C-alpha cells in the first residue's frame, strides 16, 4: 500500500475553494472589462498571484513517498499514478520482477528547472538501471543509463539539463534495466545513441510515441529486485479542478494584460 505523508486531497481542495471565494476571483475578471488605471492593474495581478500562492501553500504539505502497487505497467496507457493528488513527490519505491520488466509512473513536474530523478544511493546499488522521461503525449524527453562521473551503474536525470523538461505538466517517468530501450511503432529507438554516462535526448530519425520496449540487449543474469527513485521538482498529478484553476488563472492574467494594451 502507498505511504501517505500528507493531508487528503479533498481537504486541500476545500481550503483552496474557500480561499478563492474570499478573493472573489471572478469579480477581478469582470473588472478587467473596463479600463483600469495602472495602480488598479497592479493590484488585480497581484491579487491573482496571491490566490495562486495561497492555493499552493494549502497543497504544500509533507512530501510523499510512493510504493509501487502490484506491477506498474510498461506502456503509457498502463502507467501507475501515485496518489493522493497534488502532493509533492519525493521518492518512488518499486521492484523489477524480471530482466524485461519496465515500470512507468505518471507524475506532474511542477518546477521544470528543479526536476531531477535518480537511483543513485537507492535501496539496491547492484541493479543496473536506466531512467527515461516522456511527455504527456508519450514522446521522448531525455534519458540516462549511468550517472555522469562514472563509478556507478545507477541512473540520474539531472536538473537544469538543456534536454530536460521545459514546461510544467504531466509526464511519464520510466525505469528499466540497462539496455532495455523504448521503441516506436517502427521498432526504432526513441532515444539517441551515446555513451552510457551521457544524458541522451530524442532520436532525430524516430517519430511517434512510445509503443514497446526492446530488451534484447539486457545482459543475461542481470540483477533484479527492489529499486528507489529519488525526485525533486515533482508532485503527484493534481485534481482536474486544480489543473483547471491554474489554466483559468493564466488565462485571466493574459486577458488583463491584453485589454490593458488595447486601451492605451
Amino acid at each position: 500500500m502507498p505511504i501517505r505523508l500528507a493531508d487528503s486531497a479533498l481537504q486541500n481542495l476545500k481550503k483552496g475553494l474557500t480561499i478563492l471565494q474570499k478573493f472573489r476571483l471572478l469579480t477581478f475578471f469582470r473588472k478587467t472589462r473596463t479600463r483600469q488605471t495602472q495602480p488598479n492593474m497592479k493590484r488585480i495581478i497581484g491579487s491573482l498571484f496571491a490566490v495562486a500562492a495561497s492555493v499552493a501553500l494549502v497543497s504544500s504539505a509533507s512530501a510523499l513517498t510512493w510504493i509501487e502497487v502490484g506491477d506498474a505497467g510498461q506502456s503509457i496507457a498502463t502507467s501507475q499514478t501515485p496518489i493522493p493528488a497534488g502532493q509533492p513527490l519525493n521518492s518512488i519505491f518499486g521492484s523489477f520482477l524480471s530482466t524485461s520488466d519496465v515500470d512507468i509512473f505518471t507524475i506532474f513536474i511542477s518546477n521544470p528547472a528543479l526536476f531531477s530523478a535518480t537511483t543513485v544511493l537507492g535501496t539496491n546499488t547492484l541493479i543496473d538501471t536506466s531512467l527515461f522521461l516522456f511527455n504527456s503525449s508519450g514522446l521522448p524527453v531525455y534519458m540516462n543509463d549511468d550517472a555522469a562521473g562514472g563509478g556507478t551503474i545507477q541512473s540520474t536525470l539531472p536538473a537544469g539539463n538543456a534536454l530536460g523538461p521545459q514546461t510544467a505538466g504531466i509526464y511519464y517517468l520510466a525505469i528499466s534495466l540497462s539496455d532495455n530501450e523504448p521503441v516506436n511503432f517502427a521498432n526504432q529507438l526513441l532515444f539517441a545513441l551515446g555513451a552510457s554516462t551521457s544524458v541522451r535526448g530524442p532520436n532525430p530519425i524516430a517519430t511517434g510515441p512510445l509503443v514497446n520496449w526492446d530488451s534484447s540487449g539486457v545482459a543475461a543474469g542481470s540483477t533484479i529486485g527492489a529499486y528507489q527513485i529519488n525526485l525533486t521538482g515533482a508532485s503527484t498529478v493534481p485534481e482536474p479542478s486544480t489543473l483547471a484553476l491554474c489554466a483559468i488563472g493564466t488565462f485571466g492574467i493574459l486577458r488583463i494584460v491584453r485589454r490593458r494594451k488595447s486601451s492605451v
Side-chain angles (χ1 to χ4, degrees), residues 61-112:
S62 300
L64 181 76
T65 293
W66 176 257
I67 298 178
E68 180 185 17
V69 177
D71 184 24
Q74 58 184 39
S75 69
I76 299 302
T78 60
S79 61
Q80 190 166 111
T81 303
I83 55 174
Q87 301 298 331
L89 184 61
N90 262 7
S91 55
I92 296 174
F93 288 82
S95 62
F96 294 121
L97 303 181
S98 68
T99 56
S100 61
D101 194 13
V102 179
D103 292 334
I104 302 181
F105 300 93
T106 308
I107 63 172
F108 187 85
I109 294 181
S110 51
N111 191 332

Side-chain angles (χ1 to χ4, degrees), residues 2-260:
I3 300 174
R4 298 187 181 183
L5 302 178
D7 295 333
S8 69
L10 180 60
Q11 291 175 337
N12 284 340
L13 182 57
K14 287 182 178 179
K15 292 178 182 178
L17 289 175
T18 300
I19 292 171
L20 288 178
Q21 290 171 354
K22 290 182 178 179
F23 277 96
R24 306 175 71 89
L25 183 60
L26 293 178
T27 300
F28 292 143
F29 289 163
R30 294 191 188 103
K31 288 182 179 179
T32 64
R33 295 177 182 174
T34 60
R35 293 185 60 179
Q36 303 293 324
T37 62
Q38 188 65 28
N40 285 339
M41 176 68 63
K42 291 181 178 179
R43 283 198 295 270
I44 291 172
I45 295 177
S47 298
L48 285 168
F49 279 113
V51 172
S54 299
V55 173
L57 287 173
V58 168
S59 298
S60 61
S62 300
L64 181 76
T65 293
W66 176 257
I67 298 178
E68 180 185 17
V69 177
D71 184 24
Q74 58 184 39
S75 69
I76 299 302
T78 60
S79 61
Q80 190 166 111
T81 303
I83 55 174
Q87 301 298 331
L89 184 61
N90 262 7
S91 55
I92 296 174
F93 288 82
S95 62
F96 294 121
L97 303 181
S98 68
T99 56
S100 61
D101 194 13
V102 179
D103 292 334
I104 302 181
F105 300 93
T106 308
I107 63 172
F108 187 85
I109 294 181
S110 51
N111 191 332
L114 294 181
F115 172 76
S116 70
T118 182
T119 56
V120 175
L121 301 179
T123 56
N124 191 340
T125 57
L126 297 178
I127 295 182
D128 190 357
T129 60
S130 288
L131 288 172
F132 309 84
L133 188 70
F134 300 88
N135 67 14
S136 60
S137 298
L139 298 174
V141 179
Y142 70 155
M143 65 84 61
N144 175 252
D145 183 0
D146 301 326
T152 179
I153 56 175
Q154 306 297 291
S155 315
T156 296
L157 297 178
N161 189 278
L163 295 172
Q166 302 300 309
T167 58
I170 294 175
Y171 289 82
Y172 298 94
L173 178 65
I175 182 170
S176 73
L177 292 183
S178 178
D179 292 325
N180 191 352
E181 298 278 350
V183 296
N184 65 3
F185 67 96
N187 209 40
Q188 295 174 308
L189 297 178
L190 285 176
F191 289 93
L193 298 177
S196 67
T197 55
S198 64
V199 175
R200 294 151 49 190
N203 181 355
I205 65 172
T207 59
L210 170 68
V211 171
N212 207 346
W213 295 82
D214 181 2
S215 61
S216 60
V218 178
S222 295
T223 302
I224 61 174
Y227 61 77
Q228 175 183 345
I229 308 172
N230 294 319
L231 302 163
T232 62
S235 68
T236 57
V237 178
E239 295 281 2
S241 57
T242 304
L243 290 173
L245 175 60
C246 292
I248 291 172
T250 301
F251 172 77
I253 292 172
L254 292 174
R255 186 176 179 183
I256 290 171
V257 173
R258 288 172 181 170
R259 284 186 175 273
R260 176 59 183 171

